[in-house]
Amino acid sequence: MKTCLVVDDSRVVRKIARQILEKLDFAIIEAADGEQALQACRDALPDAILLDWNMPVMDGYEFLGRLRDLPGGEGPKVVFCTTENNIEHISLALRAGADEYIMKPFDKEIVAAKFMEVGLLQSAGPSA
């Protein structure tokens, strides 16, 4: 089973993401900010990271840069998930090493489609 680290300061968003990703057959690890996420990655790199941009302690952008500097840190597929929708933010995230970008609010179809695009899913996964 593949693992996905869900990084968001909103407990509600983490819960929704967990429900969606578990239906797509991922084991879930949660972090409320970039520092917690970085520690989780130091412990064991996940296959995927669903990453919020705006968080306390360490934002998603800083986390992504530090993740990619870790040994093996280029491995996890990172999908930014945020309310930031201007082209500068999207471009910055992709240049920093994000593999894809989705907007909040999201649903199972959006997550499944993006995870398929980056090679984490072969199909849309089990139906809800």
Side-chain angles (χ1 to χ4, degrees):
M1 179 178 283
K2 291 184 179 177
T3 58
C4 183
L5 174 60
V6 177
V7 189
D8 200 296
D9 57 323
S10 167
R11 185 176 302 164
V12 172
V13 171
R14 291 194 314 269
K15 180 179 179 181
I16 292 167
R18 173 183 285 277
Q19 290 171 346
I20 290 169
L21 289 161
E22 284 178 343
K23 288 178 183 174
L24 295 173
D25 207 26
F26 280 86
I28 308 304
I29 305 159
E30 293 184 26
D33 61 53
E35 187 60 47
Q36 288 179 10
L38 197 59
Q39 187 56 54
C41 290
R42 287 182 185 122
D43 294 342
L45 286 170
D47 298 294
I49 301 173
L50 189 62
L51 179 62
D52 186 24
W53 186 290
N54 296 310
M55 296 177 290
V57 184
M58 181 190 300
D59 67 19
Y61 181 74
E62 182 181 349
F63 162 78
L64 182 55
R66 294 179 65 184
L67 166 72
R68 295 304 192 206
D69 287 340
L70 290 176
E74 70 286 344
K77 298 292 185 180
V78 176
V79 177
F80 256 109
C81 176
T82 183
T83 57
E84 300 289 346
N85 65 356
N86 67 49
I87 193 69
E88 292 82 20
H89 274 95
I90 295 168
S91 179
L92 189 61
L94 296 174
R95 282 195 316 267
D99 296 286
E100 254 309 336
Y101 199 95
I102 61 177
M103 299 302 301
K104 292 178 185 176
F106 55 85
D107 59 20
K108 181 182 174 199
E109 288 72 30
I110 292 169
V111 173
K114 292 298 182 175
F115 275 42
M116 284 177 64
E117 285 180 30
V118 299
L120 289 164
L121 290 175
Q122 299 307 311
S123 68
S127 58

